[in-house]
Amino acid sequence: MSITILPAGMTAAPDLADVLPPVKQRGKIRTLIRRHPTIVLGGAMVTVMLLIALLAPILFTVDPTALAPSKRTREPSALYWFGTDMLGRDVYSRVLYGTRVSLLVGFSVAVLAALVGMTIGLISGFLRAADAVIMRIMDGMMSIPPILLAIALMALTRGSVRNVIISITIAEIPRVSRLVRGVVLSLREQPYVEAAIASGTRVPMIIFRHILPNTLAPLTVQATFICASAMITEAILSFIGAGTPPTIPSWGNIMAEGRALWQVKPYIVFFPAIFLSMTVLAVNLLGDGLRDALDPRLAKRI
Amino acid sequence: MNAIPPLLEVSGLKKHFPLRGGFFGGVSAHVYAVDGVDFSISKGETLSLVGESGCGKSTVGRALLRLIDPTAGEVKLDGNRIDNLPASQLRPLRRRMQVIFQDPFSSLNPRMRVREILAEPLTNFGLASGRSEIDDRVALLMDKVRLPRDSMRRHPHEFSGGQRQRIGIARALAPDPDIIICDEAVSALDVSVKAQIVNLMSDLQDELGMALLFISHDLAIVEHITHRVAVMYLGKIVELADRQTLFARSHHPYTRALLSAVPVPDPTIKRQRIILTGDVPSPINPPSGCRFHTRCPFAFDRCRTEEPVLREVSPSQISACHLTHAPGAEILPAGA
């Protein structure tokens, strides 16, 4: 059967497949720079910070914990690039080694919070019964400011980088699981998920083939922002003495120790603060760029 | 009308969605989306389900597919009930009933290539295994929907709307189903593409002999593809007739109003149209008596109190209206 009822002088459209547009290939890196300058800039700055953290021992540093009481509070000079603190420790070496703590905490929290939050989000997005309970717990956790929650958790344990990571991760999980849950709930209603159900695809396969890959873009973006906020939280915790123990140099520790001399020797606080700001800026730039590149709709929402 | 036992038989199908409200999330009301629908489809037949937005036609399709569970009623496929099958026994049913969705953009996973999309039902139902066998089957499916074979390596976003809908059709054809539910399958397409897709589905039906449940709001398109038409209003079928009868001698005032809204491509024809005033009443609180009485130009007292049942008004035509004669017959041009 085909269309027969047509007015005189009209013909039915021919049964031809439309013409497919040709696939274009361009120089990939140049396109990347032109289209997403923030990704390139942020990525480059993060890479520099990573190199600093990895290569800290060979970047003309000395032992960051070595005390030299006779060389206290020296101004920045050719010998002490960033000066020395009130115990005579080299601020340049301490700041460079501090990069390790910051990046370790930032990346670990981002990865852990993303993994745990994704699992919780998938469960509560798929199981209605679990959803009610889990989301009430998350609501409760979200009613406490993340920094206060992290401080409270640190108060329960001894100060160590591992405990800092765990505390900040717990404080960040509610936001991630809310995000993933929301994405899962909207993806579940997508016709292609219904089509997959109608095609006999089993639930685990639906999750791994149709739901999970489509949550990765917003999750990646969220993870970069968590990374930045975790580095700030770590610095705050260390600054108030509730974070990384004083024996390990971290930007928060250095600033806390320099705080007393802030008005006479501002460089002790200045250099770690600059490093912290630049790193957080770099990660946020990277996150912004990824958001625009991966999910243009999300860019308008946040 | 036809001696062959029906492939799909639907009786008393209801779907009520609970409305939750208040602090404790108690059920405060129901949306009577589908409220008692009966019809049957024979092998190789096309039945169209038409009606305005929100009349419950898509809900019928989704309930038949068991994408949602019906509240009440029976659905029989080859005489076996499928409406009460547990989720674990749905897979054989899924192979026999497939679906084509309205939106060709959101009905294909943007992250999968066409080959993977078409391979999914094949591997799910164990119809093909191994790389080369799947490639062969997918290539055949691409041939069936007149798409070039080598485009199976592309992603959905590289195709136009009409081409995407062909991919959707190919996915529905993959398990060789007995019936395909086309949920507004051509509504989102341009007119010229619409004609191509309708022709393609007609050709495929001739070639493969599957039945179609064609859900649409567009009577002009329905006329070209269907054998029988069921008109739905507020969750109920108000008229069901074969195509010629419905388009020539419709009985129910609602059907007549819908037909008079179909554009005629001839500006010299002057037509009197039945213009319905007001909106469709809320399916949360449907009107008493005949559900159409609030908008019906011919309503009288009995319509407000007594609900009309479907009765035969002519051979192969049933209508749910208290009027004995087709009302306002003179205001429609013959054969419109």
Side-chain angles (χ1 to χ4, degrees), chain B residues 96-115:
Chain B
R96 301 189 56 193
M97 287 174 87
Q98 281 295 310
V99 60
I100 303 169
F101 288 103
Q102 170 174 13
D103 183 357
F105 291 86
S106 59
S107 61
L108 304 173
N109 187 339
R111 295 186 171 263
M112 289 166 74
R113 292 175 192 279
V114 174
R115 181 190 175 277

Side-chain angles (χ1 to χ4, degrees), chain A residues 195 198-199, chain B residues 65 94-101 108 114 117-123 125 127-128 136-147 163-182 185 197-213 225:
Chain A
S199 300
Chain B
L65 288 160
R94 302 245 184 258
R95 198 191 70 71
R96 301 189 56 193
M97 287 174 87
Q98 281 295 310
V99 60
I100 303 169
F101 288 103
L108 304 173
V114 174
I117 292 172
L118 297 184
E120 190 170 18
L122 294 174
T123 48
F125 297 121
L127 300 171
D136 292 348
R137 290 290 296 259
V138 170
L140 285 177
L141 287 169
M142 299 294 276
D143 290 350
K144 274 184 188 162
V145 297
R146 285 52 154 174
L147 281 175
Q163 291 166 336
R164 282 158 166 255
Q165 204 59 311
R166 286 168 195 267
I167 300 169
I169 294 172
R171 173 174 59 193
L173 291 176
D176 203 9
D178 296 321
I179 179 166
I180 299 180
I181 292 170
C182 310
I197 298 292
V198 167
N199 285 347
L200 174 69
M201 293 207 287
S202 293
D203 293 349
L204 288 170
Q205 191 179 32
D206 292 345
E207 190 183 325
L208 306 168
M210 75 281 188
L212 295 176
L213 176 64
I225 193 168

Side-chain angles (χ1 to χ4, degrees), chain A residues 94-179:
Chain A
R94 290 179 69 75
V95 167
L96 256 57
Y97 277 95
T99 312
R100 293 183 158 185
V101 174
S102 262
L103 292 188
L104 178 66
V105 170
F107 291 145
S108 310
V109 169
V111 170
L112 286 176
L115 285 178
V116 179
M118 189 178 73
T119 314
I120 293 176
L122 279 175
I123 291 171
S124 65
F126 255 90
L127 302 175
R128 205 156 283 217
D131 184 43
V133 179
I134 291 174
M135 280 305 129
R136 291 302 80 74
I137 296 172
M138 293 299 151
D139 284 346
M141 285 173 72
M142 279 177 103
S143 67
I144 307 167
I147 290 172
L148 287 185
L149 187 58
I151 291 172
L153 289 169
M154 284 309 294
L156 298 175
T157 56
R158 284 190 309 120
S160 74
V161 174
R162 194 194 65 176
N163 287 345
V164 168
I165 291 172
I166 294 172
S167 304
I168 303 177
T169 302
I170 292 173
E172 293 284 356
I173 282 173
R175 281 201 279 166
V176 189
S177 40
R178 284 231 143 217
L179 173 87

Side-chain angles (χ1 to χ4, degrees), chain A residues 78-100:
Chain A
L79 184 60
Y80 306 108
W81 290 355
F82 294 175
T84 62
D85 66 8
M86 66 280 219
L87 295 173
R89 294 173 296 193
D90 182 35
V91 175
Y92 172 73
S93 306
R94 290 179 69 75
V95 167
L96 256 57
Y97 277 95
T99 312
R100 293 183 158 185

Side-chain angles (χ1 to χ4, degrees), chain B residues 75-246:
Chain B
V75 182
K76 286 180 181 168
L77 189 66
D78 278 342
N80 302 315
R81 279 187 69 170
I82 57 167
D83 56 279
N84 54 0
L85 283 179
S88 56
Q89 289 172 33
L90 281 175
R91 295 190 108 217
L93 162 73
R94 302 245 184 258
R95 198 191 70 71
R96 301 189 56 193
M97 287 174 87
Q98 281 295 310
V99 60
I100 303 169
F101 288 103
Q102 170 174 13
D103 183 357
F105 291 86
S106 59
S107 61
L108 304 173
N109 187 339
R111 295 186 171 263
M112 289 166 74
R113 292 175 192 279
V114 174
R115 181 190 175 277
E116 296 160 348
I117 292 172
L118 297 184
E120 190 170 18
L122 294 174
T123 48
N124 281 341
F125 297 121
L127 300 171
S129 58
R131 219 165 210 294
S132 60
E133 199 183 344
I134 290 173
D135 276 338
D136 292 348
R137 290 290 296 259
V138 170
L140 285 177
L141 287 169
M142 299 294 276
D143 290 350
K144 274 184 188 162
V145 297
R146 285 52 154 174
L147 281 175
R149 284 185 173 196
D150 56 357
S151 60
M152 71 166 83
R153 297 160 61 87
R154 290 169 183 264
H155 283 99
H157 67 84
E158 297 175 66
F159 293 88
S160 70
Q163 291 166 336
R164 282 158 166 255
Q165 204 59 311
R166 286 168 195 267
I167 300 169
I169 294 172
R171 173 174 59 193
L173 291 176
D176 203 9
D178 296 321
I179 179 166
I180 299 180
I181 292 170
C182 310
D183 189 356
E184 301 271 15
V186 296
S187 305
L189 304 174
D190 285 347
V191 177
S192 61
V193 182
K194 212 179 257 198
Q196 289 176 18
I197 298 292
V198 167
N199 285 347
L200 174 69
M201 293 207 287
S202 293
D203 293 349
L204 288 170
Q205 191 179 32
D206 292 345
E207 190 183 325
L208 306 168
M210 75 281 188
L212 295 176
L213 176 64
F214 197 85
I215 298 169
S216 178
H217 63 265
D218 187 348
L219 276 168
I221 279 289
V222 159
E223 192 176 356
H224 295 304
I225 193 168
T226 198
H227 299 115
R228 289 191 300 145
V229 184
V231 180
M232 264 186 95
Y233 184 76
L234 263 186
K236 292 206 162 189
I237 289 179
V238 295
E239 183 162 8
L240 200 161
D242 60 30
R243 183 186 63 193
Q244 289 88 347
T245 314
L246 189 104

Side-chain angles (χ1 to χ4, degrees), chain B residues 33-48:
Chain B
V34 178
D35 206 16
V37 160
D38 312 73
F39 61 84
S40 62
I41 302 176
S42 310
K43 203 171 180 305
E45 185 194 33
T46 303
L47 174 72
S48 293

